[in-house]
PDB file of all heavy atoms in Angstrom:
ATOM      1  N   HIS Y 292     237.272  52.597  79.631  1.00 88.00           N
ATOM      2  CA  HIS Y 292     238.511  52.127  80.216  1.00 88.00           C
ATOM      3  C   HIS Y 292     238.230  51.079  81.219  1.00 88.00           C
ATOM      4  O   HIS Y 292     237.591  51.426  82.237  1.00 88.00           O
ATOM      5  CB  HIS Y 292     239.241  53.366  80.722  1.00 88.00           C
ATOM      6  CG  HIS Y 292     240.779  53.113  80.880  1.00 88.00           C
ATOM      7  ND1 HIS Y 292     241.289  52.081  81.652  1.00 88.00           N
ATOM      8  CD2 HIS Y 292     241.775  53.770  80.318  1.00 88.00           C
ATOM      9  CE1 HIS Y 292     242.547  52.152  81.587  1.00 88.00           C
ATOM     10  NE2 HIS Y 292     242.934  53.121  80.792  1.00 88.00           N
ATOM     11  N   LYS Y 293     238.689  49.852  81.061  1.00 87.00           N
ATOM     12  CA  LYS Y 293     238.302  48.790  82.055  1.00 87.00           C
ATOM     13  C   LYS Y 293     239.101  48.795  83.282  1.00 87.00           C
ATOM     14  O   LYS Y 293     238.684  48.283  84.348  1.00 87.00           O
ATOM     15  CB  LYS Y 293     238.610  47.475  81.295  1.00 87.00           C
ATOM     16  CG  LYS Y 293     237.599  47.209  80.135  1.00 87.00           C
ATOM     17  CD  LYS Y 293     237.727  45.882  79.609  1.00 87.00           C
ATOM     18  CE  LYS Y 293     236.820  45.617  78.417  1.00 87.00           C
ATOM     19  NZ  LYS Y 293     236.959  44.214  77.826  1.00 87.00           N
ATOM     20  N   THR Y 294     240.344  49.395  83.268  1.00 86.00           N
ATOM     21  CA  THR Y 294     241.241  49.345  84.441  1.00 86.00           C
ATOM     22  C   THR Y 294     241.298  50.647  85.236  1.00 86.00           C
ATOM     23  O   THR Y 294     241.919  50.750  86.288  1.00 86.00           O
ATOM     24  CB  THR Y 294     242.629  48.904  84.114  1.00 86.00           C
ATOM     25  OG1 THR Y 294     243.109  49.831  83.100  1.00 86.00           O
ATOM     26  CG2 THR Y 294     242.601  47.482  83.504  1.00 86.00           C
ATOM     27  N   LEU Y 295     240.645  51.739  84.722  1.00 86.00           N
ATOM     28  CA  LEU Y 295     240.773  53.032  85.357  1.00 86.00           C
ATOM     29  C   LEU Y 295     239.934  52.950  86.731  1.00 86.00           C
ATOM     30  O   LEU Y 295     238.754  52.638  86.726  1.00 86.00           O
ATOM     31  CB  LEU Y 295     240.187  54.121  84.472  1.00 86.00           C
ATOM     32  CG  LEU Y 295     240.194  55.544  85.016  1.00 86.00           C
ATOM     33  CD1 LEU Y 295     241.675  56.010  85.173  1.00 86.00           C
ATOM     34  CD2 LEU Y 295     239.510  56.526  84.113  1.00 86.00           C
ATOM     35  N   GLY Y 296     240.630  53.270  87.813  1.00 82.00           N
ATOM     36  CA  GLY Y 296     240.019  53.242  89.081  1.00 82.00           C
ATOM     37  C   GLY Y 296     239.514  51.909  89.498  1.00 82.00           C
ATOM     38  O   GLY Y 296     238.432  51.726  90.058  1.00 82.00           O
ATOM     39  N   ASP Y 297     240.302  50.819  89.056  1.00 84.00           N
ATOM     40  CA  ASP Y 297     239.927  49.416  89.300  1.00 84.00           C
ATOM     41  C   ASP Y 297     238.554  49.092  88.680  1.00 84.00           C
ATOM     42  O   ASP Y 297     237.748  48.359  89.291  1.00 84.00           O
ATOM     43  CB  ASP Y 297     240.001  49.120  90.810  1.00 84.00           C
ATOM     44  CG  ASP Y 297     241.257  49.275  91.426  1.00 84.00           C
ATOM     45  OD1 ASP Y 297     242.243  49.078  90.697  1.00 84.00           O
ATOM     46  OD2 ASP Y 297     241.385  49.562  92.668  1.00 84.00           O
ATOM     47  N   GLY Y 298     238.281  49.591  87.522  1.00 84.00           N
ATOM     48  CA  GLY Y 298     237.064  49.357  86.872  1.00 84.00           C
ATOM     49  C   GLY Y 298     235.875  50.158  87.337  1.00 84.00           C
ATOM     50  O   GLY Y 298     234.704  49.813  86.929  1.00 84.00           O
ATOM     51  N   LYS Y 299     236.075  51.122  88.240  1.00 87.00           N
ATOM     52  CA  LYS Y 299     234.988  51.887  88.826  1.00 87.00           C
ATOM     53  C   LYS Y 299     234.255  52.658  87.770  1.00 87.00           C
ATOM     54  O   LYS Y 299     232.989  52.828  87.847  1.00 87.00           O
ATOM     55  CB  LYS Y 299     235.484  52.754  89.914  1.00 87.00           C
ATOM     56  CG  LYS Y 299     234.521  53.691  90.575  1.00 87.00           C
ATOM     57  CD  LYS Y 299     235.174  54.579  91.629  1.00 87.00           C
ATOM     58  CE  LYS Y 299     234.168  55.526  92.257  1.00 87.00           C
ATOM     59  NZ  LYS Y 299     234.849  56.412  93.220  1.00 87.00           N
ATOM     60  N   TYR Y 300     234.935  53.244  86.767  1.00 88.00           N
ATOM     61  CA  TYR Y 300     234.338  54.151  85.831  1.00 88.00           C
ATOM     62  C   TYR Y 300     233.989  53.405  84.483  1.00 88.00           C
ATOM     63  O   TYR Y 300     233.568  54.092  83.490  1.00 88.00           O
ATOM     64  CB  TYR Y 300     235.245  55.346  85.545  1.00 88.00           C
ATOM     65  CG  TYR Y 300     235.624  56.070  86.659  1.00 88.00           C
ATOM     66  CD1 TYR Y 300     236.906  56.056  87.316  1.00 88.00           C
ATOM     67  CD2 TYR Y 300     234.671  56.936  87.290  1.00 88.00           C
ATOM     68  CE1 TYR Y 300     237.167  56.708  88.408  1.00 88.00           C
ATOM     69  CE2 TYR Y 300     234.956  57.723  88.485  1.00 88.00           C
ATOM     70  CZ  TYR Y 300     236.234  57.555  89.050  1.00 88.00           C
ATOM     71  OH  TYR Y 300     236.585  58.261  90.150  1.00 88.00           O
TER      72      TYR Y 300
END
Side-chain angles (χ1 to χ4, degrees):
H292 201 301
K293 295 184 178 180
T294 59
L295 181 64
D297 296 332
K299 176 182 177 181
Y300 301 106

